[in-house]
Amino acid sequence: MKDLLLIYNARLVDKNRDVKNGAILIEGDKISGFPTQAAVKKMLGDENVSKFDASGCTVLPSFVDMHVHMRDPGQTQKEDIRTGCMAAAAGGFGTVVLMPNTSPVISSQEMAEFNDKRGDELGFCQVIQSVSITENFEGKSTAHLENLSRKIVPLITEDGHEVASSAVMLEGMKIAAKKNIIVSCHCEDPDLANEARPLRKKALDLLAKENPSTKDKKEAAAYLKEAHTLLAVAEDTATFRNIRLAQEAKAHLHLCHVSTAQCIDALREAKKRGVNVTAEITPHHIALNCEKADTKFQIVNPPLRPESDRQAVIKALMDGTADVIATDHAPHTMEDKKSGSPGFSGLETAFATCYTTLCLENGMSLKMLSDKMSARPAEILGLSDRGLLEEGLIANLTIVDTEKVWTVRGEEFASKGKYTPLEGKKVTGEIRATFYRGKIVFQA
């Protein structure tokens, strides 16, 4: 007889349902059904059934993150697959797609399968390792893509970089289209980004002084504003280019961390024209803007944008223009952050950030949030066995307390990356437990 687990006294929510006082039965690693109250009462007296009382909590399908950095191999002082998977479980994620900007760059299916296997052995969540668009991020050869299988590598990306040559990008997109592999693009014109870097450095150098003066802070803010303007143009122009190339190649283009209103407009128009394009928004671009950010540490690519852009990405999620929420979890040591390394940890704060900002402040339903964090990313990746609460699907479940208000403390993260732009902020929505393939892998 397979292991039976009954989760009861729960609100059950996914893209399609919102049921109060419900129950869910897990048999082995699958959802086997939704017992009636009479059946629940009977099972509560059955010693052969394990029980989890979810009183006051909501059961959601575990989240699927299309954009995670685990820094393994080569940068494991920042994160490794074990700590990254533990952070994913603590954040309610059952599936994570890892970026290939490691040392060495992951440019082969064999390297991807190695990380996938390590994730399987740990058993906290499923790891899906992506592969670079160009070999070793050199921007020249896409020949290695011919050896990829969609079943093993559903997504390729040059994340953290952009393929500078349009001809090379088009070639890569054509190979991906032939294999039905998603091309996930970090849209950023390299030349414009290079012009922004020295401006960021000038700002960081001013802020690195032992006691920066008011004048220093104002000058730093001016440098950063100029840098961010260049980076907005860099994102916009690369987005326009990549949409056009994907249209020509008939490839599935996925836009990483969209952050400007102009990119949202371009995405919306491309979808109207029938271009096969999807897009993700990060929790930090949903919740934060550059107008209130601490300029010294809140460096991220793409940068936090003005409030008008923040409102544009929220609207895009609400009206369906943007498809998914992805964390771009990018852990660094505190020393790296002090020296200006872009990005920060996001797996363990993603749900609370999005629930607080989107549901409580902007009226998004929990059903829609579940779609953006679970059902839709699973659908895009071709993972038909997860993302919903349905009989026969894998029992990747996340139990949340939607009433719990808590204070973010980076030092409490499972991730090695302890820096968060939300440090000390109060958010609502706590992950109480995460089940992966029917087994509990995290409990608060």
Side-chain angles (χ1 to χ4, degrees):
M1 181 179 176
K2 290 186 177 179
D3 294 337
L4 292 175
L5 170 66
L6 176 69
I7 301 174
Y8 64 104
N9 287 338
R11 178 186 176 193
L12 306 179
V13 177
D14 69 4
K15 171 187 174 183
N16 300 319
R17 76 176 73 210
D18 188 344
V19 177
K20 294 180 179 179
N21 197 27
I24 187 166
L25 184 65
I26 299 170
E27 185 173 351
D29 64 352
K30 300 280 198 314
I31 297 171
S32 68
F34 302 89
T36 63
Q37 289 302 306
V40 168
K41 187 175 181 180
K42 184 176 180 181
M43 279 187 279
L44 289 176
D46 189 340
E47 294 180 356
N48 294 315
V49 179
S50 300
K51 292 93 176 173
F52 189 99
D53 186 350
S55 295
C57 293
T58 299
V59 177
L60 298 163
S62 288
F63 313 131
V64 177
D65 196 338
M66 294 184 66
H67 194 147
V68 171
H69 299 267
M70 285 193 185
R71 313 298 193 191
D72 198 342
Q75 302 162 35
T76 53
Q77 75 278 9
K78 299 171 185 278
E79 191 79 285
D80 58 47
I81 287 184
R82 180 178 180 81
T83 57
C85 287
M86 290 173 65
F93 289 88
T95 310
V96 290
V97 178
L98 306 191
M99 298 296 101
N101 60 333
T102 51
S103 300
V105 174
I106 293 175
S107 293
S108 72
Q109 184 162 298
E110 291 73 25
M111 294 175 73
E113 286 182 295
F114 182 74
N115 272 357
D116 291 351
K117 183 179 179 182
R118 292 171 69 196
D120 288 342
E121 290 170 348
L122 289 166
F124 291 106
C125 63
Q126 182 175 357
V127 164
I128 300 173
Q129 177 64 62
S130 66
V131 165
S132 62
I133 297 173
T134 69
E135 191 166 5
N136 300 320
F137 281 1
E138 292 174 357
K140 298 175 182 178
S141 175
T142 60
H144 65 292
L145 301 180
E146 295 285 4
N147 299 317
L148 301 185
S149 163
R150 171 64 164 79
K151 186 176 180 181
I152 306 299
V153 182
L155 182 149
I156 58 174
T157 182
E158 211 89 338
D159 189 64
H161 300 77
E162 176 64 278
V163 178
S165 166
S166 294
V168 172
M169 179 65 96
L170 181 60
E171 181 181 77
M173 285 184 174
K174 285 181 176 178
I175 297 171
K178 180 174 65 176
K179 292 176 170 287
N180 194 31
I181 291 173
I182 301 162
V183 182
S184 183
C185 286
H186 175 110
C187 296
E188 188 175 66
D189 179 274
D191 292 333
L192 291 172
N194 285 337
E195 287 191 23
R197 286 192 185 97
L199 295 169
R200 271 185 168 180
K201 187 177 186 308
K202 287 179 180 178
L204 289 169
D205 287 346
L206 286 167
L207 295 170
K209 293 180 179 180
E210 188 171 343
N211 290 300
S213 65
T214 300
K215 181 182 177 184
D216 290 333
K217 291 177 182 178
K218 285 183 178 179
E219 285 185 9
Y223 283 131
L224 282 176
K225 183 176 181 180
E226 188 178 352
H228 290 177
T229 298
L230 281 171
L231 291 171
V233 178
E235 182 178 348
D236 294 342
T237 55
T239 298
F240 305 154
R241 181 200 76 160
N242 289 333
I243 288 173
R244 181 65 184 91
L245 293 176
Q247 182 180 21
E248 181 66 23
K250 296 181 174 57
H252 178 171
L253 172 67
H254 181 74
L255 300 175
C256 293
H257 40 51
V258 177
S259 68
T260 76
Q262 289 210 39
C263 286
I264 293 297
D265 290 342
L267 169 65
R268 189 175 283 117
E269 288 304 312
K271 287 190 169 188
K272 286 180 182 177
R273 297 198 312 272
V275 180
N276 187 5
V277 56
T278 53
E280 68 190 34
I281 309 292
T282 72
H284 47 273
H285 287 112
I286 291 167
L288 304 170
N289 66 44
C290 64
E291 295 160 13
K292 297 180 181 179
D294 177 339
T295 54
K296 184 174 182 180
F297 291 107
Q298 296 192 17
I299 300 292
V300 63
N301 287 334
L304 299 179
R305 303 295 188 189
E307 179 64 12
S308 57
D309 288 313
R310 188 180 80 89
Q311 291 298 329
V313 300
I314 290 174
K315 181 181 178 183
L317 284 165
M318 299 288 286
D319 68 18
T321 300
D323 299 84
V324 304
I325 293 167
T327 65
D328 193 8
H329 175 76
H332 294 288
T333 65
M334 289 305 293
E335 291 73 20
D336 291 334
K337 284 305 298 179
K338 288 176 182 177
S339 65
S341 293
F344 21 72
S345 299
L347 284 166
E348 294 167 78
T349 55
F351 174 75
T353 301
C354 294
Y355 181 72
T356 301
T357 307
L358 294 174
C359 297
L360 299 184
E361 297 175 6
N362 285 277
M364 178 182 280
S365 69
L366 188 54
K367 288 171 65 176
M368 180 177 279
L369 182 58
S370 178
D371 183 30
K372 302 297 184 186
M373 295 188 73
S374 302
R376 186 66 176 126
E379 180 183 21
I380 290 170
L381 292 166
L383 303 173
S384 59
D385 59 357
R386 70 199 69 186
L388 296 167
L389 301 181
E390 288 186 0
E391 185 175 342
L393 298 192
I394 291 176
N396 290 353
L397 307 173
T398 296
I399 298 178
V400 302
D401 182 346
T402 58
E403 302 296 323
K404 176 70 173 179
V405 178
W406 56 283
T407 302
V408 177
R409 302 292 184 200
E411 64 183 14
E412 298 173 359
F413 288 173
S415 170
K416 287 184 182 180
K418 306 301 183 184
Y419 181 79
T420 168
L422 301 171
E423 184 69 38
K425 295 185 183 298
K426 291 187 182 299
V427 289
T428 303
E430 182 183 51
I431 308 299
R432 297 299 302 275
T434 304
F435 291 82
Y436 176 63
R437 294 187 175 273
K439 303 295 184 184
I440 193 162
V441 292
F442 170 80
Q443 188 166 11

